[in-house]
Amino acid sequence: MEEDLLLVHRVLRGEQFAFRTIVEKYQNYVFTIAMRVLNAREEAEEVAQDVFLKVHKMLGSYRQESKFSSWLYAIAYRTAIDNARKKKLPLQSIEADGAAFQTPDLLSKTPVELTQDNDLRQHVQAVINRLKPSDASIITLYYLNEQSVQEIADITGLSVTNVKTKLHRLREQLRQELTASALDQH
């Protein structure tokens, strides 16, 4: 985080190389966000370029109340959503491929455990995919991207109370659907 603040200060002093460093550091991150929302490579590339133009223009308004990456994430997310609405593209769940459910200890698991983990990942992803994109994003930001409630509020423009309420409601919905799904299998 300190490195990001240093880069921001350097850009604000006119050092363009520092902005290039920010772009190189976050370009994959921004593209991934756009791609997850838009599910169209060309649109995502266009949005990523727009995001960095906005960031460069708005860098002076970054108030350091949240992490730089959260501020950038909010701009990327909102730009992708705005782009989809303007072009009437369908919105995708922010974690459509389920990649964030990968477990780090795969080698220590038996084939049966791996199959059970994969089944659980598929069930959780199926439930998330049935949510409205905005709700799926909140769940994804909190559990998969490990953003705080405050950071989610900053990113989505919702109040902290509203994010907490939605998280509670969505957790309950996920629990019910996963429980029902497990009962259906037996």
Side-chain angles (χ1 to χ4, degrees):
M1 187 167 159
E2 237 176 78
E3 176 188 343
D4 289 340
L5 293 178
L6 179 61
L7 287 169
V8 167
H9 291 300
R10 288 177 51 203
V11 172
L12 293 174
R13 287 194 313 255
E15 296 180 38
Q16 289 306 308
F17 181 76
F19 189 72
R20 186 178 319 153
T21 304
I22 290 172
V23 171
E24 289 170 356
K25 181 175 181 180
Y26 288 106
Q27 64 189 355
N28 291 336
Y29 183 64
V30 168
F31 175 77
T32 300
I33 293 165
M35 188 66 185
R36 295 268 164 81
V37 171
L38 299 166
N39 202 29
R41 183 171 200 79
E42 299 80 25
E43 296 294 327
E45 289 170 352
E46 182 181 317
V47 164
Q49 290 175 356
D50 290 347
V51 166
F52 285 111
L53 289 173
K54 286 181 181 181
V55 166
H56 191 270
K57 189 187 303 187
M58 297 169 51
L59 207 52
S61 70
Y62 172 56
R63 299 285 173 237
Q64 303 171 22
E65 295 164 355
S66 62
K67 293 187 294 188
F68 177 77
S69 60
S70 296
W71 182 76
L72 178 62
Y73 191 113
I75 293 170
Y77 176 75
R78 290 180 185 148
T79 302
I81 294 288
D82 289 346
N83 182 281
R85 287 183 181 143
K86 273 190 244 171
K87 297 186 178 184
K88 299 190 184 334
L89 297 172
L91 296 174
Q92 299 295 316
S93 165
I94 200 93
E95 277 296 334
D97 65 1
F101 290 108
Q102 299 301 317
T103 54
D105 56 344
L106 292 178
L107 297 176
S108 66
K109 296 197 175 206
T110 68
V112 171
E113 290 172 323
L114 288 173
T115 301
Q116 290 170 341
D117 285 353
N118 190 44
D119 288 347
L120 177 60
R121 276 194 300 275
Q122 288 176 356
H123 287 302
V124 170
Q125 193 58 53
V127 172
I128 290 173
N129 287 342
R130 287 193 299 268
L131 297 173
K132 293 187 316 188
S134 59
D135 289 344
S137 296
I138 289 171
I139 287 288
T140 299
L141 288 168
Y142 189 75
Y143 287 106
L144 305 178
N145 294 6
E146 299 178 358
Q147 300 283 328
S148 70
V149 170
Q150 180 62 56
E151 289 169 328
I152 295 169
D154 293 342
I155 289 166
T156 61
L158 299 171
S159 70
V160 169
T161 303
N162 199 347
V163 170
K164 287 179 182 178
T165 302
K166 283 181 175 275
L167 276 170
H168 177 75
R169 180 181 54 78
L170 291 168
R171 274 193 295 262
E172 183 60 25
Q173 183 179 350
L174 285 172
R175 186 187 64 73
Q176 288 175 358
E177 290 197 35
L178 289 171
T179 301
S181 176
L183 291 175
D184 289 343
Q185 290 181 350
H186 294 293

